[in-house]
C-alpha cells in the first residue's frame, strides 16, 4: 500500500511564508487582495439591487426624474466600481509576478549555490524540477495563490452580507441551498482531485514531449539527426507519447462530463425549491415582484458565495501542497558549510593531503576511491594518470571540495576542509574539467566570467598562453565576438579544441593558487597538444597544478606522477622512475607509444 508523504508545511504556514515574502518585496500585493475582494462584493451588491430598485420605482409609479436618477446613481456606481476594479486588476498582476520572480530567484540561487553532491541526488533533482514547475507561470501556486486568497476573502465577505439580506427568509431554504452547494462541491472536488492526483502523469507526457522537441531543435543533435536519419524515429516516439496523452485527456473528459451532469441536477433542485418557496411567499404574503427578483437573485448569488468558499478552500489546499514543495526544496539539507564555515587561512602556498580517503557514489556497490593516502606539496606539478574509470576525476573532485569522502579526511594545510566555508575554499582552485559550460556571451566575458571590470591586459596574456591569439584575431569583433547562436544570431561556433582552449584561458584568468587540468588536451590535435605542453611550465608558474590524463606521454612535464587503478595509487614517481619500474605504467606507456612508431607491429 502506497502511503503519501505528508508535506512538511501546512496551509497556514505556507500562507504566512508567502505573506512574508510579499511584505518584504511588494506590499501592494496584500493591499490589492483586500481591495479587490471589497470591490467585488460592492460591485455584486450594486448589480443585485439595480434591477429590483428600478422595478420598485415602476411599481410605485414614481416620477420619470426619480426613475432616471435611480438608474443614473446605479450606473455611476457601476462605472466607478468597474473602473477601480480594472485598475487594481491591471496593477496587481505585475506585483504578483514580482513576488513569483523573487521565489524563482531563490530557487535558482539554491540550484547554483547548493553543495555539489546535491546535484547528483535523485531526490534533490526531483524536488528541484517540482519547484521550478510550481513557479513557471501565472497559473502556478506561487502566483495564483494571491488570486485564491482574494476570491476566498470575496466569497466570505459576500456570504456574510447576503446572509444579512436573506435573514427574513425561512431558515430551511438556506439549509437546502447550503446542502445542495455542499453536495455539488463534493462532486466538483472529486473531479478536481482526480485531475490533481493524475497530474504527475500529465506532467510526464508534457515533459517527454518538451524534451523531444528541444532535442529535435538543438544544435548539438542537428548532425546526428541528419547523418543517422533520426527524424522518423523521433516522430514515432512523439506520436506514441501524443497518443498516450490523448487517451489520458479522454479519461479526464469522461470524469468531468459525469460531474457536470451531477452538478446540473443539484442546480435544478436548488433553483426549483427556491422558486417554489418565493412564489408561495408572493401568493400568501404579498411579496412584490421587485422583492421576488431581489430574493431569488440573492439566493442564487448566495449559492455562488458558498460554492466559492468551498472551492477556494480546496484550491488553497492544493496550492499549499505546491508551495510546500518549493519550500522543501529551498530548505533541502546542505552537507557542506558555507557562511557558517571557517575562513581560509591566508598563506603563500597550500598543501593538500588525503588521509585514508574512500569514496562511494550513491547506489554503487564498490568504492571508486579506496583508502587513498596522498600529499600534494605546495607548488608541485602532479600528474594523475590511469585508464578510464580508474577514479582520476573523482580524486580531483575530492581534492577541490566538490565531494566529501565517505571515509577519511581531506586536509588543507593540516585542517579538514569540511570546517571551511566551501565557497571560499573553491576560490583556491582554477579548473578545466572534461565537461564544461559555455555561455552565449562575448569571448572576453566567457574568459573573465564577468561583464564588468575586465582586465584586458591580463585577458590577452591568458589568451596567448592558451594558444588562442591567432584565432581571436580572425574573429569578426575580436574579443567582443559572441560565442554560440542560441542568444545572438551573429555568434561564432567554436570547434571542440577551440572551446577547450577557451576554457583553459578562463582557468588561467582566475589565477587561483591551485590549477586543475582534467584531460585539458583531449579535444586537441597532436600539434595543438604539443603547443600546450611546451607552455606547461609557463601556464603553471607559481602555482600548484594537478594534471589528469589517460595519455601517459603528456605527463613527463610534471614533477611527480601517480598511476591510479581500481581506486588506489598503484605506482608513483617521475616518468623515468615509472618506466624503470617496468610496472603497469610502463606497459601502458609502451602500448600507447606503438601508435606513434612507424612500422611497429601490434
Amino acid at each position: 500500500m502506497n502511503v503519501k508523504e505528508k508535506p512538511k508545511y501546512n496551509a497556514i504556514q505556507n500562507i504566512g511564508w508567502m505573506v512574508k515574502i510579499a511584505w518584504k518585496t511588494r506590499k501592494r500585493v496584500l493591499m490589492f487582495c483586500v481591495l479587490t475582494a471589497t470591490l467585488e462584493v460592492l460591485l455584486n451588491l450594486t448589480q443585485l439591487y439595480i434591477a429590483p430598485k428600478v422595478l420598485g420605482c415602476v411599481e410605485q409609479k414614481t416620477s420619470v426624474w426619480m426613475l432616471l436618477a435611480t438608474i443614473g446613481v446605479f450606473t455611476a456606481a457601476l462605472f466607478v466600481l468597474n473602473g477601480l476594479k480594472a485598475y487594481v486588476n491591471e496593477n496587481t498582476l505585475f506585483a504578483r509576478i514580482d513576488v513569483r520572480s523573487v521565489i524563482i530567484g531563490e530557487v535558482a540561487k539554491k540550484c547554483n549555490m547548493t553543495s555539489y553532491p546535491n546535484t547528483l541526488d535523485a531526490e534533490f533533482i526531483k524536488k528541484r524540477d517540482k519547484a521550478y514547475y510550481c513557479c513557471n507561470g501565472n497559473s502556478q501556486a506561487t502566483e495564483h495563490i494571491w488570486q485564491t486568497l482574494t476570491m476566498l476573502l470575496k466569497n466570505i465577505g459576500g456570504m456574510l452580507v447576503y446572509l444579512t439580506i436573506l435573514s427574513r427568509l425561512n431558515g430551511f431554504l438556506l439549509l437546502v441551498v447550503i446542502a445542495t452547494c455542499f453536495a455539488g462541491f463534493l462532486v466538483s472536488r472529486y473531479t478536481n482531485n482526480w485531475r490533481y492526483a493524475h497530474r504527475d502523469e500529465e506532467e510526464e507526457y508534457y515533459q517527454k514531449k518538451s524534451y523531444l522537441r528541444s532535442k529535435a531543435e538543438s544544435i548539438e543533435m542537428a548532425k546526428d539527426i541528419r547523418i543517422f536519419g533520426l527524424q522518423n524515429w523521433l516522430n514515432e516516439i512523439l506520436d506514441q507519447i501524443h497518443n498516450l496523452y490523448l487517451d489520458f485527456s479522454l479519461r479526464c473528459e469522461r470524469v468531468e462530463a459525469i460531474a457536470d451532469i451531477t452538478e446540473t441536477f443539484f442546480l435544478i433542485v436548488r433553483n426549483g425549491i427556491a422558486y417554489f418557496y418565493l412564489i408561495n411567499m408572493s401568493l400568501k404574503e404579498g411579496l412584490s415582484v421587485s422583492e421576488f427578483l431581489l430574493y431569488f437573485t440573492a439566493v442564487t448569488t448566495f449559492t455562488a458565495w458558498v460554492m466559492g468558499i468551498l472551492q477556494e478552500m480546496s484550491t488553497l489546499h492544493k496550492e499549499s501542497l505546491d508551495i510546500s514543495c518549493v519550500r522543501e526544496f529551498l530548505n533541502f539539507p546542505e552537507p557542506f558549510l558555507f557562511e557558517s564555515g571557517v575562513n581560509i587561512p591566508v598563506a603563500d602556498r597550500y598543501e593538500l593531503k588525503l588521509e585514508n580517503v574512500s569514496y562511494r557514489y550513491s547506489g554503487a556497490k564498490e568504492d571508486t576511491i579506496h583508502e587513498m593516502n596522498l600529499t600534494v606539496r605546495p607548488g608541485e606539478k602532479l600528474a594523475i594518470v590511469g585508464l578510464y574509470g580508474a577514479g582520476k576525476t573523482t580524486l580531483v573532485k575530492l581534492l577541490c571540495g566538490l565531494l566529501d569522502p565517505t571515509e577519511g579526511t581531506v586536509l588543507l594545510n593540516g585542517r579538514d576542509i569540511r570546517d571551511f566555508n566551501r565557497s571560499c575554499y573553491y576560490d583556491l582552485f582554477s579548473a578545466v574539467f572534461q565537461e564544461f559550460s559555455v555561455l552565449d556571451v562575448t569571448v572576453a566575458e566567457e574568459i573573465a566570467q564577468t561583464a564588468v571590470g575586465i582586465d584586458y591586459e591580463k585577458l590577452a596574456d591568458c589568451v596567448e598562453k592558451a594558444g588562442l591569439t591567432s584565432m581571436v584575431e580572425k574573429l569578426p569583433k575580436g574579443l567582443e565576438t559572441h560565442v554560440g547562436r542560441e542568444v545572438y544570431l551573429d555568434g561564432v561556433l567554436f570547434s571542440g579544441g577551440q572551446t577547450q582552449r577557451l576554457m583553459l584561458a578562463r582557468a588561467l584568468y582566475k589565477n587561483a593558487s591551485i590549477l586543475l587540468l582534467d584531460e585539458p588536451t583531449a579535444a586537441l590535435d597532436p600539434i595543438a597538444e604539443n603547443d600546450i605542453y611546451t607552455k606547461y611550465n609557463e601556464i603553471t608558474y607559481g602555482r600548484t597544478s594537478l594534471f589528469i590524463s589517460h595519455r601517459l606521454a603528456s605527463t613527463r612535464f610534471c614533477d611527480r606522477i601517480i598511476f591510479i587503478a581500481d581506486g588506489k595509487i598503484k605506482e608513483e614517481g617521475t616518468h623515468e622512475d615509472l618506466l624503470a619500474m617496468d610496472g603497469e605504467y610502463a606497459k601502458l606507456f609502451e602500448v600507447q607509444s606503438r601508435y606513434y612508431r612507424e612500422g611497429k607491429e601490434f
Side-chain angles (χ1 to χ4, degrees):
M1 180 178 178
N2 294 327
V3 179
K4 290 187 177 180
E5 184 180 353
K6 185 178 179 181
K8 292 184 179 180
Y9 308 98
N10 59 40
I12 299 298
Q13 291 171 324
N14 290 327
I15 292 171
W17 184 70
M18 290 296 297
V19 168
K20 184 178 179 180
I21 294 175
W23 186 260
K24 289 177 63 177
T25 57
R26 288 292 182 271
K27 296 182 178 65
R28 292 180 299 166
V29 169
L30 305 175
M31 178 187 71
F32 284 149
C33 281
V34 176
L35 187 57
T36 301
T38 304
L39 289 172
E40 289 277 6
V41 174
L42 291 175
L43 185 59
N44 197 281
L45 278 172
T46 305
Q47 293 169 335
L48 171 68
Y49 276 100
I50 185 170
K53 286 295 183 181
V54 171
L55 190 57
C57 289
V58 173
E59 287 179 329
Q60 296 171 13
K61 297 180 180 181
T62 59
S63 65
V64 174
W65 292 110
M66 180 60 72
L67 178 61
L68 292 176
T70 302
I71 296 173
V73 169
F74 278 100
T75 302
L78 289 173
F79 179 81
V80 171
L81 290 172
N82 276 307
L84 289 173
K85 178 184 172 184
Y87 173 80
V88 172
N89 288 341
E90 183 70 23
N91 286 277
T92 192
L93 176 63
F94 302 111
R96 292 174 181 177
I97 292 175
D98 286 343
V99 174
R100 177 166 61 89
S101 297
V102 170
I103 298 173
I104 292 174
E106 290 298 316
V107 173
K109 181 180 178 181
K110 179 72 173 183
C111 292
N112 293 330
M113 300 298 293
T114 192
S115 304
Y116 181 77
N118 283 347
T119 66
L120 309 176
D121 190 312
E123 185 65 22
F124 178 87
I125 294 171
K126 180 181 177 181
K127 289 183 181 296
R128 177 201 65 193
D129 293 343
K130 181 65 178 176
Y132 269 124
Y133 175 78
C134 295
C135 299
N136 71 355
N138 304 102
S139 61
Q140 298 304 324
T142 49
E143 181 177 330
H144 192 269
I145 189 171
W146 303 116
Q147 178 68 16
T148 303
L149 290 173
T150 300
M151 296 301 291
L152 187 60
L153 287 173
K154 172 192 122 176
N155 288 312
I156 291 174
M159 185 193 72
L160 294 175
V161 172
Y162 275 60
L163 271 175
T164 304
I165 297 172
L166 297 173
S167 59
R168 66 167 291 193
L169 299 182
N170 192 311
F172 175 74
L173 177 60
L174 294 180
L175 289 177
V176 168
V177 169
I178 294 173
T180 52
C181 284
F182 191 73
F185 165 74
L186 291 178
V187 175
S188 176
R189 183 183 180 187
Y190 170 79
T191 307
N192 294 334
N193 286 349
W194 189 94
R195 187 73 182 247
Y196 189 81
H198 291 79
R199 67 178 186 153
D200 287 343
E201 180 182 353
E202 183 178 19
E203 184 180 342
E204 181 182 352
Y205 297 138
Y206 176 78
Q207 288 179 340
K208 287 181 177 179
K209 290 168 71 174
S210 298
Y211 172 79
L212 284 173
R213 178 182 173 184
S214 65
K215 289 299 180 183
E217 296 175 354
S218 68
I219 296 175
E220 291 81 4
M221 284 198 66
K223 298 187 294 294
D224 298 281
I225 290 172
R226 285 153 181 79
I227 294 298
F228 292 99
L230 302 180
Q231 300 93 332
N232 292 335
W233 182 47
L234 292 172
N235 288 333
E236 287 173 5
I237 298 175
L238 185 61
D239 287 341
Q240 291 173 3
I241 297 171
H242 187 63
N243 289 335
L244 290 172
Y245 179 73
L246 289 178
D247 179 66
F248 170 80
S249 298
L250 183 60
R251 283 184 284 146
C252 288
E253 290 173 2
R254 289 172 181 166
V255 172
E256 290 171 354
I258 294 173
D260 288 342
I261 293 171
T262 306
E263 286 187 66
T264 302
F265 168 76
F266 287 121
L267 177 65
I268 293 172
V269 170
R270 180 168 60 247
N271 287 351
I273 293 175
Y275 265 121
F276 175 80
Y277 176 78
L278 292 173
I279 290 173
N280 187 58
M281 281 187 67
S282 299
L283 295 174
K284 293 184 177 180
E285 301 180 19
L287 191 68
S288 66
V289 175
S290 58
E291 289 177 316
F292 180 91
L293 180 60
L294 173 66
Y295 287 126
F296 182 76
T297 305
V299 168
T300 306
T301 309
F302 179 77
T303 300
W305 297 130
V306 176
M307 284 290 289
I309 292 172
L310 297 173
Q311 289 171 351
E312 297 304 332
M313 289 293 290
S314 177
T315 301
L316 186 61
H317 171 70
K318 294 171 186 174
E319 291 177 345
S320 173
L321 294 178
D322 285 348
I323 292 171
S324 185
C325 290
V326 175
R327 296 183 67 188
E328 287 172 25
F329 171 73
L330 293 177
N331 294 323
F332 197 89
E334 293 291 347
F336 296 166
L337 297 178
F338 289 99
E339 287 80 4
S340 59
V342 178
N343 290 328
I344 302 296
V346 178
D348 294 332
R349 292 187 176 184
Y350 296 92
E351 178 189 80
L352 288 171
K353 190 173 184 179
L354 273 66
E355 290 187 346
N356 299 316
V357 167
S358 297
Y359 184 80
R360 180 177 300 186
Y361 286 96
S362 177
K365 295 181 180 179
E366 297 180 355
D367 292 339
T368 302
I369 299 295
H370 185 65
E371 294 183 353
M372 185 177 291
N373 291 283
L374 172 67
T375 299
V376 182
R377 295 181 284 273
E380 182 179 24
K381 298 177 180 61
L382 177 68
I384 303 171
V385 300
L387 297 175
Y388 285 115
K392 304 186 297 298
T393 299
T394 301
L395 171 58
V396 170
K397 289 180 179 178
L398 288 166
L399 287 169
C400 68
L402 290 175
L403 299 174
D404 275 346
T406 47
E407 294 181 13
T409 55
V410 179
L411 305 173
L412 177 73
N413 286 357
R415 183 160 185 173
D416 194 333
I417 68 170
R418 282 174 283 209
D419 297 337
F420 295 123
N421 179 325
R422 197 60 61 100
S423 295
C424 295
Y425 184 74
Y426 293 149
D427 290 338
L428 297 175
F429 297 86
S430 291
V432 178
F433 292 111
Q434 292 183 46
E435 298 176 356
F436 38 76
S437 58
V438 180
L439 295 177
D440 281 20
V441 293
T442 66
V443 174
E445 291 170 351
E446 194 76 59
I447 295 172
Q449 294 291 284
T450 181
V452 294
I454 298 175
D455 184 342
Y456 281 90
E457 184 177 342
K458 177 181 176 183
L459 191 71
D461 181 58
C462 295
V463 168
E464 173 62 29
K465 289 178 179 178
L468 278 173
T469 302
S470 60
M471 184 203 74
V472 170
E473 290 174 350
K474 296 175 184 178
L475 294 176
K477 299 179 182 178
L479 290 171
E480 301 307 316
T481 302
H482 289 115
V483 181
R485 291 181 183 163
E486 294 188 23
V487 177
Y488 300 100
L489 296 179
D490 64 344
V492 175
L493 298 177
F494 290 156
S495 68
Q498 290 171 333
T499 304
Q500 198 158 35
R501 284 177 178 269
L502 191 68
M503 295 300 100
L504 178 58
R506 183 177 72 174
L508 295 176
Y509 187 89
K510 185 181 178 183
N511 196 30
S513 300
I514 304 171
L515 180 63
L516 306 176
L517 301 174
D518 189 356
E519 302 284 2
T521 61
L524 300 181
D525 58 71
I527 296 176
E529 184 178 33
N530 183 68
D531 180 49
I532 294 295
Y533 293 157
T534 58
K535 293 181 178 179
Y536 186 68
N537 284 331
E538 183 182 2
I539 290 172
T540 59
Y541 178 77
R543 68 185 87 187
T544 305
S545 68
L546 302 175
F547 189 96
I548 302 94
S549 180
H550 69 282
R551 290 193 266 194
L552 306 190
S554 64
T555 62
R556 63 180 64 195
F557 307 98
C558 297
D559 302 325
R560 182 165 53 122
I561 302 168
I562 58 172
F563 181 81
I564 297 179
D566 302 323
K568 297 180 179 179
I569 299 175
K570 291 296 183 71
E571 298 175 11
E572 182 178 353
T574 64
H575 177 69
E576 289 74 19
D577 292 339
L578 294 176
L579 289 180
M581 288 180 190
D582 197 26
E584 292 184 44
Y585 178 92
K587 292 176 182 178
L588 184 58
F589 180 78
E590 173 64 21
V591 171
Q592 292 183 357
S593 63
R594 289 180 186 178
Y595 290 97
Y596 301 98
R597 299 176 188 171
E598 293 186 9
K600 185 72 178 181
E601 294 183 1
F602 292 88

